[in-house]
Amino acid sequence: MPSSSSEGPVIDRLVSANQRYAAEFTDPGMDARPVLKVAVVACMDARLDLHAALGLELGDCHTIRNAGGVVTDDVIRSLTISQRALGTRAVVLIHHTGCGLLNLTEDFRHELELEVGQRPSWAVESFKDADQDVRQSMERVRTSPFLLHTGDVRGFVFDVTTGLLREIDPANGPES
């Protein structure tokens, strides 16, 4: 794992990398509308290289990432803009094995409140079962009144040790 101290502050390294990138950059002449008309909602985990794992190229999709890949109000906001303003029609939800949210609870918010003197306005959205949380996320997308296209919503769990996606059947929840 690279150390930020060996080559200077990490943000300076990122800015330098951007300058090298920009020196050879050619405007691809793309529109903001994804070519494949798909939005991918996934966890922010650094082990997920979504474009490589899904065979995507620049411009193919909208990518929305957060802790856990959970469908929150802000994800619905982004999906609504993606669909209504930029033409996406399909939604792919991706959680993964070994997610950090599996070990957190809402106590995290209370600990933060004790530390900083203010409780966060957001929920942790932790979960104990990734499959069930994918089902919940699919249901949140499918029932949102703001989204135009809710028929093509599929959810998966990405295995960080094999690189494979495992599709989650929305009908096989604990209540089934």
Side-chain angles (χ1 to χ4, degrees):
M1 178 159 58
S3 164
S4 63
S5 61
S6 65
E7 298 178 35
V10 69
I11 296 175
D12 289 346
R13 290 180 17 218
L14 298 176
V15 171
S16 293
N18 173 257
Q19 291 167 348
R20 291 187 298 277
Y21 171 79
E24 297 182 22
F25 181 78
T26 303
D27 179 358
M30 294 179 176
D31 184 291
R33 297 172 177 271
V35 172
L36 298 179
K37 298 182 188 303
V38 65
V40 178
V41 178
C43 185
M44 65 186 190
D45 192 293
R47 297 171 289 181
L48 276 67
D49 183 347
L50 293 173
H51 277 73
L54 300 173
L56 296 168
E57 300 292 331
L58 182 67
D60 281 348
C61 71
H62 282 157
T63 306
I64 303 161
R65 296 181 79 157
N66 68 16
V70 177
V71 175
T72 61
D73 286 346
D74 195 58
V75 168
I76 294 294
R77 178 187 71 87
S78 294
L79 288 172
T80 301
I81 293 166
S82 177
Q83 287 189 359
R84 290 180 176 264
L86 298 166
T88 59
R89 300 177 87 62
V91 178
V92 176
L93 304 171
I94 301 177
H95 285 30
H96 66 91
T97 58
C99 184
L101 282 187
L102 288 165
N103 300 320
L104 283 179
T105 67
E106 288 299 319
D107 288 341
F108 183 73
R109 291 175 69 230
H110 302 295
E111 293 163 7
L112 282 172
E113 180 181 15
L114 291 173
E115 180 183 329
V116 303
Q118 179 179 342
R119 181 177 294 182
S121 60
W122 39 263
V124 175
E125 294 277 356
S126 60
F127 48 86
K128 296 196 179 302
D129 180 335
D131 291 20
Q132 183 54 32
D133 201 69
V134 170
R135 285 184 196 94
Q136 176 174 297
S137 290
M138 284 190 281
E139 188 63 18
R140 285 180 176 173
V141 171
R142 287 185 174 132
T143 60
S144 173
F146 306 109
L147 299 175
L148 296 172
H149 308 287
T150 59
D152 193 5
V153 178
R154 292 172 63 186
F156 300 85
V157 173
F158 177 85
D159 187 317
V160 297
T161 61
T162 67
L164 289 173
L165 289 174
R166 179 174 49 80
E167 188 157 9
I168 303 303
D169 183 345
N172 285 341
E175 65 283 344
S176 297

